[in-house]
Amino acid sequence: MKNRNIKSVTDHDMDSIPEEKLIDDLYKFLSKLHKQLSDLQLVKQERLKIKSLEIMRDVSGFTVERVQSVLPTGGLGVKVTSGFVPVGSITSLYPGLIYESHEPIFFQSIGNSFIFRCADGLLIDGNDRGLSKSLYKSCRGRDSCWPMPACDDSWLKPELICPLNIGQYVNNHNKQYPANVAYQELDIPDSFPAHLRQYLPNNFYSPSLNVSEGMQRYKLLRVVALVSVKEIKSGEELFSSYFTLVR
């Protein structure tokens, strides 16, 4: 399990980017993505991936993709494949099913190195295989209201619709490759448009609709963004610290 501790921000560290700014950046990107992809729903998913990367380059000024890591034992990693990443940019999102601390995750956790522990104890299972994959798809089907999916599931496949949803493959830094991104937790408000939520890669293990005191309300959706702490050039791989969380 990838445990993160809260990082104390000093003058020599990256200050936490305001949550409102990051959510606004996410809104702008997903709005453009939705507008451009709405007319391409009947196109093959491979073409959607190419188009979504074009949109990312146009809106954000860079693209990121899953590639073989430069680390000998790193497996897959995430690399900037075009453009330039300014400081304070969302480079990727950590996908997966969200569990509260009391919910069962034992069997999903066996041999699973993709479980992210948030500062408040929430767990995000970013494994795209096996039981984790099946549970994510099941909960997505439960919470979707046709024709609007509850969340994105393309991160479970080779061809992504939202190119941000690959944060679980960002490798840990080392002495040779220092960290250039940091994890930052965001709580997506109820006011975030439903037609854009379908591109976010997270959903709750339990139903997200709560009924209390005769009122219905949705849980705030937890999203973990990997935010650049330094300028990153095309061709460079993203590296984080598994023990750093900027809040």
Side-chain angles (χ1 to χ4, degrees), residues 3 17 22 39 48 59 63 82 102 110 118 120 122 135 155 188 214 221 236 242 247:
N3 288 294
I17 305 299
L22 293 178
D39 297 331
L48 290 178
V59 176
T63 58
S82 69
H102 63 276
I110 297 175
C118 297
D120 60 0
L122 286 180
L135 286 170
W155 64 274
I188 304 299
L221 181 66
E236 294 184 14
Y242 285 170
R247 296 196 71 191

Side-chain angles (χ1 to χ4, degrees), residues 29-73:
F29 171 68
L30 295 182
S31 294
K32 185 67 175 290
L33 186 70
H34 178 72
K35 182 178 180 181
Q36 295 289 324
L37 295 186
S38 293
D39 297 331
L40 299 175
Q41 292 303 310
L42 299 180
V43 178
K44 291 183 179 180
Q45 195 161 9
E46 182 178 357
R47 174 56 188 160
L48 290 178
K49 176 188 176 182
I50 295 172
K51 183 62 178 179
S52 65
L53 286 171
E54 292 174 355
I55 296 168
M56 185 178 189
R57 176 63 188 267
D58 180 49
V59 176
S60 303
F62 62 89
T63 58
V64 294
E65 297 181 67
R66 289 179 295 204
V67 297
Q68 187 66 33
S69 175
V70 297
L71 302 177
T73 59

